[in-house]
Amino acid sequence: MIQDIAPHIYHNEYLPHEPQKDSVLLCYKKDLIFMRAADGEISFPTYSEAEAVFPAVKDLWTYLFTIDETAYYLVSQLPFEEMPNYTLEKTDSLRTLSPRHLIFAGITGHQLYKWYKGRRFCGGCGRKMKPDKKERMMYCPNCHTMEYPKLSPAVIVAVRNGEKLLLSKYAGREFTNYALIAGFAEIGEPIEDTVRREVMEEVGLKVKNLRFYKSQPWSFTDTLLFGFFCDLDGDDTICLDEEELALAVWKERSQIPVDEYEISLTREMMTLFKNGLDDKI
């Protein structure tokens, strides 16, 4: 999955320090990321590259995280036209590129970019927020509101019906590949109840034998995913919620599509079922 970057090690401790020459800079413009891509391989500008054409970068960085010994920084702006080896590309393009540790860095940085951008002003009093020096937190010096990075818990559900798996396609989205039932947890709701509710709401089915498989941070949607396998309980007639889904069908193991990238929890769970390994969970 996208966070599986071994042998590289991701350090998310908040330990801000001055960039070094080889530190990596991540710069975004809405859903675009500034990067270089050649033959499917990506790279990001270093601090020394940016400083050579844009000395003001020394005042524009925010520490993000470290991978191995290399620190990554968010920068609010770069002179794009003066760095012709790099271009602005859609963050979604990271799904199909490599190396894995850099695409993980790029999309995790984008999640933090969106959070910082959305926390410039206090939601309580409207005053300007300030970054805390000891932890990753924005605070309001006027009303003392504190804001931490947002994570939205959600479920990915593999519903089995004997030798068949329930596959779906989202309605009204650019992503048209097969997926599993998914949905966000509500306030006050145990995550197991989220599984039952989402399956019932989206396809009108009851489920039993819930088994937690694995979790995944999914920065494309600021989500922490919880993957569950479960079994159909009763009638297998699908009652489709057409506002959420364009399609939902039962597929035999041999009919499960193969995904060469397998960066998502959804695809890993589908592959487990396809290969008959789901009973070992």
Side-chain angles (χ1 to χ4, degrees):
M1 294 190 290
I2 197 170
Q3 75 274 15
D4 298 328
I5 63 172
H8 302 283
I9 301 174
Y10 171 62
H11 302 277
N12 65 356
E13 303 90 345
Y14 186 65
L15 300 171
H17 54 280
E18 294 276 341
Q20 303 299 308
K21 296 295 184 182
D22 62 346
S23 296
V24 174
L25 303 185
L26 298 174
C27 187
Y28 304 90
K29 186 176 182 181
K30 296 184 179 179
D31 289 328
L32 302 175
I33 181 170
F34 195 52
M35 68 180 191
R36 174 166 44 200
D39 299 323
E41 296 274 333
I42 66 169
S43 61
F44 303 115
T46 63
Y47 183 77
S48 61
E49 286 180 288
E51 189 180 38
V53 296
F54 189 52
V57 72
K58 65 182 178 65
D59 299 317
L60 300 174
W61 57 265
T62 298
Y63 174 77
L64 294 178
F65 46 77
T66 295
I67 295 179
D68 299 331
E69 303 299 324
T70 302
Y72 290 70
Y73 294 82
L74 176 67
V75 289
S76 56
Q77 64 182 91
L78 283 175
F80 301 136
E81 68 284 351
E82 295 184 43
M83 304 181 73
N85 291 330
Y86 298 91
T87 57
L88 284 166
E89 305 290 345
K90 288 186 176 181
T91 53
D92 277 351
S93 68
L94 294 172
R95 292 171 180 255
T96 60
L97 298 171
S98 61
R100 180 66 58 87
H101 73 287
L102 289 185
I103 66 170
F104 174 72
I107 198 59
T108 303
H110 189 243
Q111 181 177 1
L112 287 166
Y113 156 77
K114 290 185 293 183
W115 178 74
Y116 276 117
K117 187 177 179 181
R119 299 301 182 278
R120 290 178 295 178
F121 298 97
C122 177
C125 70
R127 299 290 183 88
K128 191 171 183 178
M129 301 281 273
K130 292 186 175 182
D132 189 73
K133 295 182 179 180
K134 294 183 179 180
E135 56 184 336
R136 193 181 304 283
M137 180 260 287
M138 299 291 287
Y139 72 93
C140 176
N142 181 59
C143 70
H144 310 297
T145 293
M146 296 184 293
E147 292 276 1
Y148 291 88
K150 182 185 76 171
L151 285 175
S152 301
V155 296
I156 298 292
V157 190
V159 183
R160 302 178 301 186
N161 181 10
E163 295 298 302
K164 296 180 181 179
L165 185 69
L166 184 65
L167 300 186
S168 63
K169 291 189 176 185
Y170 298 120
R173 298 194 195 179
E174 291 183 10
F175 183 79
T176 58
N177 293 345
Y178 280 114
L180 300 175
I181 298 298
F184 290 98
E186 298 289 349
I187 298 242
E189 181 178 59
I191 203 71
E192 293 83 0
D193 285 349
T194 304
V195 171
R196 299 182 183 96
R197 176 182 55 78
E198 286 293 338
V199 175
M200 176 56 68
E201 287 179 355
E202 294 193 2
V203 289
L205 300 174
K206 293 183 179 181
V207 293
K208 61 183 180 181
N209 303 331
L210 276 64
R211 283 184 287 177
F212 173 72
Y213 167 58
K214 190 183 286 187
S215 64
Q216 179 183 32
W218 189 246
S219 294
F220 290 97
T221 54
D222 303 337
T223 309
L224 179 61
L225 300 172
F226 295 82
F228 284 86
F229 283 90
C230 59
D231 296 312
L232 177 69
D233 184 10
D235 184 21
D236 67 356
T237 303
I238 296 169
C239 183
L240 193 69
D241 179 352
E242 295 182 354
E243 291 186 2
E244 294 287 335
L245 300 177
L247 176 72
V249 292
W250 295 107
K251 291 285 189 179
E252 301 279 356
R253 294 185 193 273
S254 62
Q255 297 174 311
I256 304 297
V258 175
D259 176 36
E260 63 178 302
Y261 303 109
E262 289 204 353
I263 65 169
S264 71
L265 178 60
T266 295
R267 289 293 163 175
E268 184 169 300
M269 293 170 67
M270 289 169 60
T271 300
L272 279 174
F273 183 84
K274 181 179 180 67
N275 294 334
L277 301 175
D278 52 299
D279 282 335
K280 301 183 185 299
I281 306 304

